[in-house]
Amino acid sequence: MSFIYIYIWISTIFRMLEFKVKNLSPEMKATLKYLAGIAGPSGYGSKTTAQQVADDCFSSMPSSHLTAIVTGATSGIGAETARVLAKRGVRVVMPARDLSKAERVKESIQRESPEAEIIILEIDLSSFGSIQRFCSEFLSLGLPLHILINNAGKYSQKLEFSEDKIELTFATNYLGHFLLTEMLVGKMVETATESCIEGRIVNVSSVIHNWVNTKHFCFSKLLNPKSYNGTRAYAQSKLANILHAKELSRQLKAKKANVSINAVHPGIIKTGITRDYRGFITDSLYFVASKLLKSTSQGAATTCYVALSPRVGGMSGKYFADCNESHCSALASDESNARKLWKQTRALMHRRFLLPVGKCGEEEQIQPN
């Protein structure tokens, strides 16, 4: 996956050399800004770390009373996000499929921050039943919920299906987080009302959503594709994450709920690249990669910024990259597409849970068993 992004950046850089600076497209200017680490309007840029963001945000606000759920927190930017939040006194709930791995992350965080409060609960985001059980267990704890970070991601090179007979990448990255959010948004609205603190939902997406072609974005084919391409499946799921944020944002605004939802592109992270071969070409590629890719802490920065920063207060339905508001694709910005995907997803959920659908498909919440 990372080499795909590297190819895009390298080709963009070469195109830059063919033009004068004044003729650079917005895409090329953004690439130059990224490589240079130039700060945007927020004061942060591509080189900013999650720790920097958290330290700045919590210098002016208390954190010990906040509760956050972070999916995919057993590795990568999810683990870094959990670490940074816990270090600043946020109670962190880690939904995890591999409980032993989650325990190791918890132990690592508590070695650094002995007072950190971390709760581990089991979940498989590709399973509707598992998500229901997680939500029932979390809600039974009687805790508030201020922040929900939908970070977990699945990339599969081969066609696989979930236990619910849905293509695994789409089931995990989009449908699982949709259902999780649906079951917890009521608690977030309640918490925001009682605490007078804006609830924040963050959908971790990717710039690769730009690759999706309208003709390939068909709901039934996403559930059960006739032909499969891993990169395309991943891109489609990340587009769906943005559309989910757009539509849920509209609904929350209509209800005057003090809860926002935004999507972020974390950047391309150095972790996960393996070197199976050595040679001039591969060594050259990895040298370039080292200059282009972000560290894990830099990758978690935008998530932390959108989840915590006072500057983002009141902003909802937006797309962020490098800790600044950015532009997503025309397809991702289409409100009618967002509305259509929402209705199709709700209909699927209601069929699976045998629940009635309201007139607008948005009035009733799916309740955990």
Side-chain angles (χ1 to χ4, degrees):
M1 284 293 295
S2 296
F3 280 115
I4 296 171
Y5 293 109
I6 294 170
Y7 171 78
I8 295 172
W9 277 329
I10 291 175
S11 62
T12 301
I13 292 168
F14 278 124
R15 292 207 312 273
M16 289 177 188
L17 301 178
E18 298 175 2
F19 299 95
K20 295 179 180 179
V21 173
K22 65 179 181 180
N23 293 325
L24 291 180
S25 69
E27 175 195 28
M28 294 177 180
K29 290 179 181 178
T31 300
L32 280 176
K33 199 171 184 178
Y34 170 88
L35 293 173
I38 299 172
S42 69
Y44 301 120
S46 62
K47 306 303 182 186
T48 301
T49 66
Q51 191 69 63
Q52 286 176 273
V53 170
D55 289 346
D56 290 347
C57 291
F58 286 133
S59 66
S60 59
M61 60 179 281
S63 58
S64 58
H65 59 281
L66 298 180
T67 299
I69 292 177
V70 184
T71 70
T74 57
S75 65
I77 62 173
E80 176 65 4
T81 301
R83 183 193 72 81
V84 168
L85 293 178
K87 183 177 181 180
R88 299 298 309 202
V90 177
R91 178 193 294 117
V92 175
V93 179
M94 293 174 54
R97 185 175 58 179
D98 187 335
L99 296 181
S100 61
K101 192 173 182 181
E103 285 291 347
R104 290 194 294 272
V105 173
K106 177 180 178 179
E107 291 170 4
S108 174
I109 292 173
Q110 291 182 330
R111 279 196 299 272
E112 178 185 1
S113 306
E115 302 302 316
E117 184 178 356
I118 300 172
I119 300 170
I120 297 173
L121 298 176
E122 186 173 14
I123 196 172
D124 178 353
L125 276 165
S126 71
S127 164
F128 294 158
S130 179
I131 295 167
Q132 282 191 300
R133 289 190 292 273
F134 166 83
C135 290
S136 292
E137 192 172 358
F138 171 76
L139 294 173
S140 71
L141 298 176
L143 298 174
L145 182 58
H146 304 88
I147 300 168
L148 172 61
I149 298 177
N150 293 321
N151 166 80
K154 170 74 176 177
Y155 174 80
S156 179
Q157 291 185 329
K158 63 180 181 179
L159 178 59
E160 300 177 271
F161 290 92
S162 70
E163 66 178 41
D164 299 300
K165 311 303 181 191
I166 296 171
E167 191 278 310
L168 192 58
T169 300
F170 194 66
T172 304
N173 296 358
Y174 169 63
L175 292 175
H177 284 123
F178 180 101
L179 181 57
L180 181 69
T181 304
E182 184 75 2
M183 290 183 165
L184 296 178
V185 69
K187 169 56 71 173
M188 295 194 72
V189 172
E190 175 187 301
T191 298
T193 301
E194 293 176 352
S195 66
C196 296
I197 298 173
E198 181 187 54
R200 304 271 182 101
I201 304 171
V202 182
N203 281 0
V204 178
S205 180
S206 171
V207 71
I208 201 174
H209 80 272
N210 284 284
W211 291 22
V212 180
N213 189 301
T214 305
K215 67 179 181 181
H216 289 139
F217 199 70
C218 171
F219 191 70
S220 61
K221 292 179 181 177
L222 296 173
L223 300 177
N224 185 16
K226 301 303 180 186
S227 61
Y228 181 78
N229 176 283
T231 301
R232 184 170 63 196
Y234 183 79
Q236 290 167 334
S237 71
K238 292 303 171 181
L239 169 61
N241 291 147
I242 301 175
L243 293 171
H244 174 215
K246 296 282 185 183
E247 175 58 17
L248 181 54
S249 171
R250 184 193 67 78
Q251 294 180 22
L252 290 168
K253 287 177 183 176
K255 296 175 182 178
K256 296 182 172 17
N258 189 23
V259 177
S260 66
I261 177 169
N262 292 289
V264 304
H265 166 53
I268 316 305
I269 318 304
K270 291 176 185 176
T271 57
I273 293 181
T274 58
R275 302 193 62 173
D276 296 323
Y277 303 98
R278 295 191 62 86
F280 175 76
I281 295 177
T282 52
D283 286 347
S284 299
L285 282 172
Y286 280 103
F287 174 77
V288 173
S290 69
K291 306 302 179 185
L292 296 178
L293 305 189
K294 288 186 176 185
S295 69
T296 302
S297 187
Q298 290 168 343
T302 304
T303 298
C304 288
Y305 175 74
V306 174
L308 302 173
S309 177
R311 285 175 171 265
V312 185
M315 297 179 70
S316 192
K318 307 297 184 182
Y319 176 74
F320 291 80
D322 298 330
C323 300
N324 287 275
E325 185 178 353
S326 187
H327 298 287
C328 53
S329 70
L331 186 55
S333 300
D334 191 316
E335 293 182 3
S336 62
N337 281 331
R339 178 83 165 170
K340 180 180 178 181
L341 179 63
W342 176 276
K343 288 184 174 181
Q344 291 172 320
T345 307
R346 288 282 305 192
L348 172 69
M349 296 297 175
H350 282 285
R351 286 198 302 272
R352 295 302 174 105
F353 296 114
L354 301 178
L355 296 175
V357 181
K359 289 182 180 180
C360 296
E362 62 189 53
E363 296 301 322
E364 306 127 1
Q365 287 182 352
I366 300 172
Q367 300 295 332
N369 292 330

